[in-house]
Amino acid sequence: MDTWHRMQLKLYSTCLFFLALDWLDYSIVMGSEVENHLEMGRDFLARGQLQDALSHYHAAVEGDPDNYLTYFKRGTVYLALGKAKFALIDFGKVLELKPDFTAARYQRGVVLMKQASLEEARKELYNVYISNGDFSHEAFDLYSKLDGLAYDMELATYYQENKDYKSGIDSLDRLIEYCPWAPALREQRSELYMSSGNMQHAIMDLRTATKLQVDNTDGHYKLSKLYYSIGEVTESLKEIRECLKLDADHKQCHSHYKIVKKIERLVVDSQSAINIKDFASSIQFSKKILDLEKESEKVRFLALEKLCQSYQHTDEPLLSLKYCSEALDITPTPDLYCLRAEGYIANSMFDEAIRDFEHAIHIEQDHRQANEGLKKAKKLQKQAERKDYYKILNVKRTATKQEIIKAYRKAAQQWHPDNFQGEAKKNAEKRFIEIASAKEVLTDPEKREQFDRGIDPLDPESGRHHQEGFNPFQQFHQFHGSPFTFKFNFN
C-alpha cells in the first residue's frame, strides 16, 4: 500500500473514532435528559399533578422511543386522567417492545373492560392469569366477572325492547359500575331514563357519554334537544353552540340553533320586561314564543307562566286565570298555584283561591306564600259572607281610585233615599250607608290595605272602627228641612 492510501486510511479511521466519541457523548447526554424527565414525572405524579407528569413523560418518550418503560409510565398517567384511548396505545406499544410485560397487558385488559370491550378484555386478562406472574390473581378476579357483564348487556337490550325501563336501568347500573368508560352504555341508559321520564338522569348520562368521545357533535346535538325538551333553553343553546364549534356545517345543529337562539332571546326579554314591570312588553314577547313553538310543552310553559303573571297587572285579569290554568296543565308548581289563587282573589273567587293555595301546600308543605295566602283567602271569604265593599260598588279588587269614585257616584245616585218611598226608602237608606262606607274604605289606601288583608276597618269587632261620631250621610249630603233632603258632595 502506498503512502497516499495509508494516509487516507488513517484519516478515515480517525474520523470514525471521533464520530464514535461524539455519539457516545450524545447518548450520555440524551440518557441523562431522559432520566431527568422520568424523575420529574415521578415527582409530579406523586404530588397528583398529572398534567405536569404527562408533559415530562412525553419528553422521555421522545428522548428514548425504544424504552418500553417510558411508554408504560405515560400510559399509567393517561389511565389516571381517564384518557383510555391514549392509554391503550401506549400499553400496546409496550407489548410490541416487550411482549412478556404482564403489568402492561393487565392494564390493557382493565382499560378494555372499562370500555365494555369484553371479548378483547377476556383475551388479555386470561393471558395474564395463566402467566402465573404479577397481577395473575387480580386478572382472574376481573376475568370471572366478564360472563356476568356480557349477560347484563343482553338483559339491558331485552328489557329496553320490552319497555321494562326500570329493569333495563338496573342491568346497566351493574354494567356501568365495571364499564364506566363505555359511552354506548351511558347513551343506552340515558334513553331508558328518558323513556321513564327521568330527564335529569338522562342528561347526566348523555353528558358523560359526550365527554368520553372526542369531537362528539351528535352528543352535543342530543343534549341540546334534551335540554330544549324540558324547557332549559339557555343550556340547550350552550350545547348546540358546542356542536357548531366542532362542525359549523352540521345541518341538524344549524337548524336547531336558529330556533333555540330565537326562543332563548324571547324568554330573556320577557323576564327582563317583568323585572321592570313592563307587563305589556312581557305579554308581547311571550305570545311570540307561543307562535314560534307549537310542540314542546315545556318551552310553551315558559311563555304561559309569564303570561299568567303579566296579565294580573293589566285591565284583563281574567286572561291571567286562563294562562295560569294552561301552564298548570303542563307543570303544576306551587308558585303557579299561588299566582292563579291571587287571580281568583282579584275576581272575588275565594273558594277557588283556597283550593289553589291548598294544592300548593300539598306540593310543598312549607311554601310561605301558599300558607300566608291560604289564611288571607279564608279571611276574605268570611269577610265576603258579611260585607264586601268591592261588590257593594260593583268594582274589581284591582280597581283604581278613579274607578272606585266613579262607581260610587253611580251607586249613590241609584240608591239615593229621595228616590224611594215607604219601606223601600228604609232599604235605600241602609244601602246608601253601605255605599258610603265602601267609598270611605276603598279610597283610603291604609283602610283598603287592611280590607284586602281580610280586616274590615269599619267593623267594631276589629277594634279599628272608623272615627268617633262618623255619620256616613254627612260625607255625601246635608240635610235641608226634611231628614232625607240631600245635597251631594262627590269629592
Side-chain angles (χ1 to χ4, degrees):
M1 183 180 298
D2 57 30
T3 303
W4 170 252
H5 284 97
R6 280 197 298 271
M7 288 176 64
Q8 287 289 93
L9 184 59
K10 186 175 181 180
L11 181 60
Y12 178 70
S13 300
T14 302
C15 289
L16 287 177
F17 174 74
F18 282 111
L19 282 172
L21 284 177
D22 289 343
W23 174 251
L24 182 61
D25 290 341
Y26 175 77
S27 299
I28 292 171
V29 170
M30 288 301 294
S32 176
E33 287 185 5
V34 169
E35 286 299 323
N36 184 48
H37 284 302
L38 290 173
E39 184 62 33
M40 293 188 72
R42 282 191 293 270
D43 184 48
F44 281 121
L45 191 59
R47 286 185 281 168
Q49 296 174 241
L50 300 181
Q51 287 294 347
D52 291 322
L54 187 62
S55 297
H56 285 286
Y57 286 135
H58 280 323
V61 167
E62 290 176 4
D64 190 1
D66 295 323
N67 186 336
Y68 68 93
L69 283 174
T70 58
Y71 287 105
F72 180 74
K73 290 174 181 177
R74 189 175 69 174
T76 58
V77 177
Y78 276 135
L79 197 57
L81 288 168
K83 297 183 177 182
K85 176 182 177 181
F86 298 107
L88 278 179
I89 293 172
D90 273 357
F91 293 144
K93 185 65 177 179
V94 172
L95 294 172
E96 284 180 21
L97 296 169
K98 190 171 175 59
D100 61 345
F101 193 52
T102 55
R105 194 170 296 281
Y106 172 73
Q107 293 292 1
R108 186 173 155 77
V110 168
V111 175
L112 289 167
M113 182 176 178
K114 287 186 175 184
Q115 290 182 322
S117 299
L118 301 185
E119 288 308 311
E120 291 182 73
R122 188 188 301 276
K123 294 175 185 176
E124 298 291 10
L125 293 171
Y126 180 74
N127 285 331
V128 175
Y129 165 62
I130 63 174
S131 69
N132 290 318
D134 294 338
F135 301 101
S136 179
H137 177 76
E138 292 88 341
F140 177 75
D141 183 54
L142 293 180
Y143 181 83
S144 64
K145 293 178 172 59
L146 293 174
D147 285 340
L149 295 175
Y151 182 62
D152 272 326
M153 274 191 176
E154 295 177 4
L155 277 180
T157 302
Y158 170 80
Y159 287 133
Q160 186 173 16
E161 290 173 351
N162 287 275
K163 299 183 179 180
D164 185 351
Y165 306 125
K166 184 181 183 305
S167 297
I169 289 169
D170 289 342
S171 296
L172 287 164
D173 285 345
R174 293 191 294 271
L175 267 167
I176 291 171
E177 181 182 354
Y178 291 98
C179 311
W181 296 345
L185 297 181
R186 299 273 185 179
E187 289 180 358
Q188 186 178 8
R189 191 169 67 175
S190 177
E191 291 173 7
L192 288 170
Y193 275 131
M194 277 190 279
S195 299
S196 62
N198 192 336
M199 295 303 177
Q200 292 302 326
H201 278 72
I203 285 172
M204 289 169 60
D205 266 342
L206 195 54
R207 182 172 291 284
T208 302
T210 302
K211 289 179 179 178
L212 289 170
Q213 295 172 291
V214 180
D215 297 341
N216 188 5
T217 53
D218 287 341
H220 288 297
Y221 173 70
K222 289 178 182 177
L223 261 178
S224 180
K225 294 281 285 186
L226 190 51
Y227 273 125
Y228 190 79
S229 73
I230 62 173
E232 294 190 22
V233 292
T234 300
E235 291 299 321
S236 177
L237 187 60
K238 288 179 183 176
E239 291 299 330
I240 209 66
R241 280 174 172 160
E242 289 298 317
C243 173
L244 292 173
K245 283 181 186 177
L246 296 172
D247 182 1
D249 297 323
H250 195 288
K251 289 184 179 179
Q252 288 177 307
C253 286
H254 186 68
S255 176
H256 188 54
Y257 170 73
K258 290 191 293 185
I259 297 170
V260 179
K261 186 180 178 183
K262 288 179 183 177
I263 296 292
E264 199 266 349
R265 184 69 265 163
L266 288 169
V267 170
V268 170
D269 288 345
S270 180
Q271 185 58 52
S272 297
I274 288 175
N275 293 342
I276 61 172
K277 303 187 185 306
D278 182 2
F279 300 108
S281 293
S282 178
I283 289 169
Q284 182 183 0
F285 293 133
S286 297
K287 285 186 174 180
K288 284 183 179 179
I289 295 173
L290 296 179
D291 289 339
L292 285 171
E293 182 52 68
K294 301 293 186 184
E295 297 179 3
S296 175
E297 284 195 336
K298 295 296 185 180
V299 174
R300 290 179 64 82
F301 172 84
L302 299 176
L304 293 169
E305 182 183 37
K306 289 173 176 54
L307 288 168
C308 163
Q309 183 177 354
S310 298
Y311 267 113
Q312 286 195 1
H313 303 277
T314 69
D315 56 359
E316 298 180 281
L318 286 176
L319 282 175
S320 170
L321 298 178
K322 171 184 180 294
Y323 287 115
C324 285
S325 299
E326 289 183 23
L328 283 165
D329 286 341
I330 297 172
T331 306
T333 69
D335 288 346
L336 260 180
Y337 273 120
C338 288
L339 269 175
R340 188 170 71 174
E342 292 296 341
Y344 282 135
I345 287 175
N347 288 278
S348 299
M349 301 166 71
F350 303 117
D351 288 336
E352 290 83 352
I354 289 170
R355 182 195 63 205
D356 271 3
F357 283 129
E358 287 175 343
H359 280 315
I361 292 169
H362 180 72
I363 297 171
E364 188 179 326
Q365 188 174 359
D366 297 325
H367 196 281
R368 184 182 59 81
Q369 185 183 358
N371 282 283
E372 292 177 359
L374 181 60
K375 292 177 184 177
K376 180 179 76 171
K378 286 181 175 179
K379 279 185 180 180
L380 291 170
Q381 185 185 49
K382 288 181 180 179
Q383 185 186 86
E385 291 170 357
R386 298 192 303 269
K387 186 183 295 183
D388 187 338
Y389 294 126
Y390 290 104
K391 284 187 177 179
I392 289 171
L393 294 182
N394 193 28
V395 294
K396 296 177 180 178
R397 299 184 77 87
T398 55
T400 63
K401 184 175 180 178
Q402 290 75 16
E403 290 171 334
I404 290 167
I405 292 173
K406 182 179 179 181
Y408 152 71
R409 288 172 177 167
K410 180 180 178 182
Q413 289 172 347
Q414 179 183 352
W415 290 98
H416 191 299
D418 284 350
N419 296 332
F420 301 88
Q421 300 293 326
E423 288 297 319
K425 193 180 189 77
K426 291 181 180 179
N427 183 50
E429 291 170 12
K430 182 180 176 181
R431 183 70 172 167
F432 196 82
I433 292 171
E434 289 179 346
I435 291 167
S437 299
K439 190 254 188 184
E440 178 193 355
V441 171
L442 298 183
T443 56
D444 184 302
E446 183 179 352
K447 291 176 181 177
R448 183 176 181 180
E449 190 272 334
Q450 290 175 30
F451 185 76
D452 286 344
R453 286 190 288 110
I455 301 169
D456 186 348
L458 303 186
D459 185 352
E461 295 180 3
S462 72
R464 298 297 300 273
H465 189 43
H466 51 285
Q467 308 98 300
E468 187 177 349
F470 169 79
N471 185 340
F473 286 103
Q474 291 177 358
Q475 186 178 0
F476 307 101
H477 58 264
Q478 296 175 354
F479 294 94
H480 296 277
S482 168
F484 294 112
T485 301
F486 302 100
K487 180 179 180 181
F488 285 89
N489 173 15
F490 293 115
N491 296 323

